[in-house]
């Protein structure tokens, strides 16, 4: 794979980088993106109808069942070559921050340290009443196998008896302030931002690459399709993240080095 020499040169000396990821970085691990048609039990639902506080209030079993099904899907998946290349880059760049819109844990499992989860995670549910975190039992959620009529009752909070909700940011909810602050600070400081596998249409997350670009960062997009970011990106690398990222890593950091 050939990359523009100015991009390779820039990356060789970069000190602060943000890797901004969306559903596309996990697609090759078998986790469907939001634009992909839903499969299995959930085929007949529009995800936007499952991803709101109102939907949870109206039908907690439906929404909890959907999230437990997704959590199981993630637990059965493995990080791919893109997640691994991103984790490896951190050994070569003094300051690398992964900012992800994904609620899976594949960046962590590939070895990235403390990725910023803008939209929360599947693994830290909390009480809808008192907001205390709720510890999920270890291992796979087996009961998803027995989901009947798409429904699974959410556990109850040990403290107040309220229903446990997924630890994700739903449509219409604010991003947690500390999470947003970390992401905002990283994009303001970075010299290069790699935007991988995101359609970049959901705000405020989609604002982050634009902030970086306005402050002079080099914006690089990795995506097989065109997106709204194309106009602002200095470099558009068209392709699958699992192919482009390891090749880019190789071209910048692995060549000419022993071993
Ligand atoms: P997205 O599904 O909107 O976009 C995925 C992007 O990945 C697309 O641009 C696609 O071309 C690209 N892609 C697909 N395969 C790829 C591959 N192998 N390598 C590289 N790129 C690939 O996902 P998003 O941009 O992460 O969405 C942002 C946020 O929006 C999500 O975190 C979510 O919170 C929210 N969202 C939710 C819903 C919903 O209905 N629940 C719908 C849309 C967005
Ligand atoms: Zn509670």
């Amino acid at each position: 794979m050939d990359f523009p020499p100015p991009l390779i040169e820039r990356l060789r000396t970069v000190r602060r980088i943000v890797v901004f990821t969306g559903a596309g970085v996990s697609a090759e691990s078998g986790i469907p993106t939001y634009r992909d048609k839903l499969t299995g039990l959930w085929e007949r639902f529009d995800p936007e109808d499952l991803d709101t506080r109102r939907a949870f209030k109206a039908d907690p079993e439906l929404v909890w069942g959907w999230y437990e099904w997704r959590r199981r899907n993630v637990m059965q998946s493995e990080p791919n070559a893109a997640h691994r290349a991103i984790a490896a880059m951190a050994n070569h760049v003094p300051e690398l921050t992964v900012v992800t819109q994904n609620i899976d844990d594949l960046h962590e499992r590939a070895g990235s340290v403390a990725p910023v989860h803008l939209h929360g995670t599947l693994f830290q549910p909390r009480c809808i009443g008192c907001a205390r975190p709720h510890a999920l039992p270890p291992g796979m959620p087996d009961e998803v196998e027995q989901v009947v009529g798409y429904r699974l009752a959410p556990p109850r909070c040990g403290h107040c008896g309220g229903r446990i909700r997924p630890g994700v940011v739903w449509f219409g909810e604010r991003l947690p302030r500390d999470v947003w602050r970390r992401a905002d600070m990283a994009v303001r400081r970075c010299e290069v931002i790699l935007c991988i596998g995101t359609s970049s249409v959901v705000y405020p997350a989609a604002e982050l690459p634009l902030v970086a670009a306005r402050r002079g960062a080099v914006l690089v997009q990795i995506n097989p399709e065109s997106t709204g970011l194309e106009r602002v990106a200095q470099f558009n690398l068209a392709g699958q993240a699992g192919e482009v990222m390891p090749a880019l890593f190789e071209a910048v950091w692995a060549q000419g080095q022993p071993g």
Side-chain angles (χ1 to χ4, degrees):
M1 205 175 281
D2 285 333
F3 297 102
L7 171 61
I8 300 297
E9 284 310 308
R10 185 66 197 87
L11 287 174
R12 282 209 173 114
T13 56
V14 69
R15 288 162 301 170
R16 292 183 302 276
I17 194 162
V18 166
V19 181
F20 179 66
T21 65
V25 81
S26 296
E28 288 155 89
S29 293
I31 298 169
T33 70
Y34 298 100
R35 305 280 169 259
D36 287 336
K37 191 168 160 24
L38 292 179
T39 50
L41 282 177
W42 313 101
E43 217 155 36
R44 65 195 183 88
F45 294 102
D46 181 343
E48 298 207 13
D49 293 338
L50 296 166
D51 277 0
T52 64
R53 189 180 172 92
R54 203 163 83 191
F56 185 76
K57 289 275 191 190
D59 196 342
E61 287 84 8
L62 177 71
V63 174
W64 185 256
W66 151 244
Y67 275 94
E68 283 297 89
W69 179 81
R70 292 175 75 184
R71 189 163 70 91
R72 188 182 166 86
N73 180 227
V74 167
M75 290 176 84
Q76 288 172 329
S77 306
E78 295 295 332
N80 64 52
H83 297 107
R84 289 194 298 270
I86 293 164
M89 279 169 58
N91 299 324
H92 298 268
V93 179
E95 199 178 307
L96 180 146
T97 310
V98 176
V99 177
T100 186
Q101 298 163 87
N102 298 343
I103 57 176
D104 64 48
D105 62 350
L106 298 182
H107 282 302
E108 292 90 322
R109 279 160 57 197
S112 285
V113 178
V116 182
H117 277 280
L118 286 175
H119 295 157
T121 116
L122 286 166
F123 299 92
Q124 285 161 16
R126 63 178 185 273
C127 174
I128 196 155
C130 69
R132 282 188 173 77
H134 175 83
L136 291 163
M140 291 273 188
D142 284 334
E143 68 278 24
V144 179
E145 298 275 40
Q146 290 126 43
V147 168
V148 177
Y150 315 101
R151 287 178 167 72
L152 195 64
R156 291 283 182 171
C157 171
H159 182 77
C160 77
R163 284 199 174 90
I164 299 303
R165 59 158 286 174
V168 303
V169 178
W170 281 325
F171 285 107
E173 292 187 318
R174 279 167 173 271
L175 273 53
R177 195 173 303 166
D178 55 323
V179 166
W180 180 256
R181 199 176 294 134
R182 267 188 74 202
D184 186 59
M185 220 152 67
V187 298
R188 283 173 193 280
R189 284 172 54 74
C190 75
E191 300 160 330
V192 173
I193 182 164
L194 305 181
C195 300
I196 311 175
T198 175
S199 55
S200 243
V201 290
V202 175
Y203 282 82
E207 184 66 23
L208 293 170
L210 305 180
V211 169
R214 271 202 299 275
R215 294 181 66 96
V218 173
L219 197 158
V220 185
Q221 164 158 265
I222 294 98
N223 199 310
E225 311 283 335
S226 65
T227 73
L229 273 182
E230 218 156 275
R231 291 169 295 112
V232 268
Q234 272 96 325
F235 300 98
N236 282 291
L237 309 178
Q240 312 259 32
E243 288 166 17
V244 177
M245 289 311 296
L248 185 62
F249 178 85
E250 188 83 10
V252 177
W253 289 288
Q255 271 177 21
Q257 290 186 9

